[in-house]
Amino acid sequence: MNSDAISLRGMRFHTLVGLLPHEEKFPQPLELDVTAYLSLRRVGESDSARMLLDYRTLYQLVADTVGTSHHTFLEALCEKIAAVVLGLEGVDRVRVAARKPHAPIPGPLDCVEVIIERARSA
């Protein structure tokens, strides 16, 4: 199993996310981390772009998936992001963490976080 990875941490978006009526109307901040697990050996050994996962491409895929539509559940958004990243050539596994700092919780809270890890089907 490869232990190589590329991570984009602390991506910030404003999007419609949540179950409550105001969450369907007013965008709120969402922070995402995505880690793509893949072999970086060829890139590291050859110092060439062959088999490279372009960070910009990864970011754009996440941004496009978040988009401007309403996401009822963080879990569902994480699943969509994981599926898109697993569709990239060479990616074997993915970890997606989504943090919602303004969750409707009646007490002190930094954020609600959903974390999923998925692997490419054999």
Side-chain angles (χ1 to χ4, degrees):
M1 180 190 309
N2 295 323
S3 59
D4 305 342
I6 293 176
S7 293
L8 298 180
R9 300 186 65 189
M11 292 178 280
R12 292 177 184 87
F13 302 96
H14 269 77
T15 191
L16 298 169
V17 60
L19 283 172
L20 301 177
H22 73 276
E23 294 176 315
E24 294 179 16
K25 295 178 185 174
F26 302 105
Q28 57 186 301
L30 182 67
E31 187 172 304
L32 291 164
D33 301 337
V34 174
T35 301
Y37 295 90
L38 68 166
S39 177
L40 299 175
R41 183 173 302 228
R42 282 193 206 169
V43 176
E45 290 176 348
S46 67
D47 200 25
S48 79
R50 188 162 196 261
M51 297 297 290
L52 176 70
L53 175 57
D54 189 324
Y55 313 145
R56 297 166 298 181
T57 299
L58 184 56
Y59 180 90
Q60 194 59 56
L61 286 172
V62 173
D64 290 346
T65 304
V66 171
T68 57
S69 61
H70 176 249
H71 306 284
T72 306
F73 299 106
L74 283 178
E75 296 84 347
L77 177 58
C78 289
E79 288 289 350
K80 288 177 188 174
I81 292 168
V84 169
V85 174
L86 284 172
L88 294 171
E89 185 176 346
V91 175
D92 300 318
R93 293 184 300 130
V94 63
R95 180 183 186 274
V96 179
R99 287 178 294 285
K100 186 176 171 182
H102 297 283
I105 303 292
L109 178 75
D110 285 339
C111 67
V112 168
E113 181 175 48
V114 171
I115 301 170
I116 67 166
E117 295 187 29
R118 301 291 179 260
R120 186 183 295 266
S121 300

